[in-house]
Amino acid sequence: MSTRKIPLAGVIGNPIAHSRSPRLHRHWLRKYGLLGEYIPLHVIEDDLERVVRTLPKMGFVGANVTIPHKSSLMNIADQISDRATLIGAANTLIFKDDGKIYADNTDGYGFMANIKQGAPDWNPRAGSAAVLGAGGAARAIIVALADAGVPEIYLANRTRPKAEALRREFGARINVVDWVQAGNMLEEVSLVVNTTSLGMTGQPELRIPLDGLRRGTIVNDIVYTPLRTPLLQTAEAMGCITVDGLGMLIHQGVPGFERWFGMRPVVDDATRAALL
Ligand code: NAP
């Protein structure tokens, strides 16, 4: 009789049925012939701490965390990476052998790896960036852009005080632009990122003027349903280099998978196909 334990991981959220993470991690487990399972876990806020403390006792080696639990995890984890502390949210948990829960945030890594794969010639130090939106995803992306050495970040958000709060937190390299002026900032930059939910299936369209976009500017939409958002379609027609949001979702899963299952997965066309 084998005494081998099957390593388990999963994604904790509410709702969770829509999550594509199970498909992603199961694809990699199959591809590399690894022993393991990855499970969607529907958990309400009141049960979060109890569930997270119990998972390691059930064979879980870690978990991803998604809406609405990314910030709550910060009060539950025993150890938190510097990145997650800076961002104020965690999306990846590692359950250590000594029982400690380690929380990290790989959204910024996923964002950056996606841009590098989609626009390999991009030099972060050579031009500024425009970010639309100042929600949870924007925090991770702004930290990643600043870390990569982007000299100036223009930031526009419908609710301006939220953008100003990010400027106070993350520094003077951020220039806050009024939402109604957002179109103006596109002329100056070599990278544009939509981090709002606008353009997502079921959400309103992103209605900022795009005529300031220049040929060769990299335009990334982190919304990935639909994959080719109206922003990406317009940008492509204007000669921009477009990068969709699916790659960010895939790449943010890489560090967790490697820690849990012992193999760094490759992100390729087959990985994307598994999610589409
Ligand atoms: P969030 O914290 O709720 O932030 C939402 C952002 O969208 C805020 O900046 C909000 O502006 C803006 N917004 C919403 N409705 C708007 C409207 N009608 N007009 C103007 N702005 C509006 O959400 P999040 O977690 O950052 O996620 C944002 C999007 O990114 C979602 O679609 C999510 O699915 C996607 N996402 C993708 C990935 C990936 O891996 N590709 C990762 C994370 C998130 P206000 O501050 O004014 O409300």
Side-chain angles (χ1 to χ4, degrees):
M1 200 167 55
S2 170
T3 54
R4 264 203 312 178
K5 284 190 192 160
I6 299 174
L8 304 177
V11 55
I12 303 169
N14 175 17
I16 201 61
H18 69 286
S19 172
R20 298 201 192 192
S21 292
R23 259 199 267 173
L24 173 66
H25 290 272
R26 287 171 186 167
H27 164 77
W28 282 332
L29 283 167
R30 253 196 328 271
K31 174 176 173 181
Y32 296 109
L34 298 170
L35 187 68
E37 297 283 352
Y38 188 98
I39 298 154
L41 300 159
H42 186 132
V43 180
I44 60 166
E45 184 76 31
D46 282 354
D47 292 339
L48 185 62
E49 176 151 18
R50 209 149 17 111
V51 168
V52 169
R53 293 273 165 213
T54 307
L55 288 176
K57 299 174 191 163
M58 298 165 63
F60 278 77
V61 289
N64 286 124
V65 183
T66 186
I67 290 169
H69 301 315
K70 286 181 163 189
S71 336
S72 317
L73 248 304
M74 304 294 285
N75 304 320
I76 295 173
D78 304 303
Q79 295 163 348
I80 300 174
S81 71
D82 291 346
R83 248 179 327 198
T85 303
L86 202 58
I87 296 164
N91 73 339
T92 303
L93 301 180
I94 289 146
F95 304 146
K96 297 188 157 180
D97 292 341
D98 62 3
K100 294 252 189 322
I101 292 167
Y102 175 76
D104 195 5
N105 192 315
T106 65
D107 279 336
Y109 165 80
F111 163 76
M112 209 43 105
N114 186 36
I115 301 287
K116 284 182 187 157
Q117 193 166 33
D121 294 334
W122 177 55
N123 174 2
R125 295 177 186 278
S128 41
V131 176
L132 299 161
R139 290 179 69 86
I141 287 170
I142 285 168
V143 168
L145 289 171
D147 256 11
V150 171
E152 268 191 306
I153 301 167
Y154 296 93
L155 176 62
N157 192 50
R158 173 182 60 176
T159 310
R160 188 181 166 112
K162 275 167 76 179
E164 277 160 358
L166 289 190
R167 182 180 192 277
R168 280 195 298 280
E169 220 176 315
F170 297 128
R173 261 192 279 169
I174 299 175
N175 303 295
V176 175
V177 175
D178 220 71
W179 183 244
V180 291
Q181 309 278 323
N184 295 348
M185 65 185 185
L186 309 183
E187 291 166 22
E188 308 296 326
V189 300
S190 53
L191 171 70
V192 177
V193 187
N194 174 42
T195 78
T196 74
S197 47
L198 296 172
M200 189 177 170
T201 308
Q203 297 293 318
E205 261 181 57
L206 176 66
R207 288 190 191 279
I208 65 163
L210 299 175
D211 40 312
L213 280 175
R214 287 175 301 145
R215 176 169 285 277
T217 299
I218 301 161
V219 178
N220 168 229
D221 201 332
I222 72 162
V223 167
Y224 55 83
T225 45
L227 201 54
R228 303 304 295 171
T229 59
L231 168 65
L232 293 186
Q233 289 177 31
T234 307
E236 191 170 12
M238 293 175 74
C240 299
I241 300 163
T242 59
V243 182
D244 68 50
L246 189 65
M248 175 175 168
L249 175 78
I250 295 173
H251 282 284
Q252 64 76 34
V254 167
F257 187 92
E258 183 179 21
R259 288 293 294 268
W260 305 325
F261 301 116
M263 158 91 71
R264 191 163 184 90
V266 171
V267 177
D268 54 14
D269 287 346
T271 322
R272 287 174 64 86
L275 292 196
L276 292 173

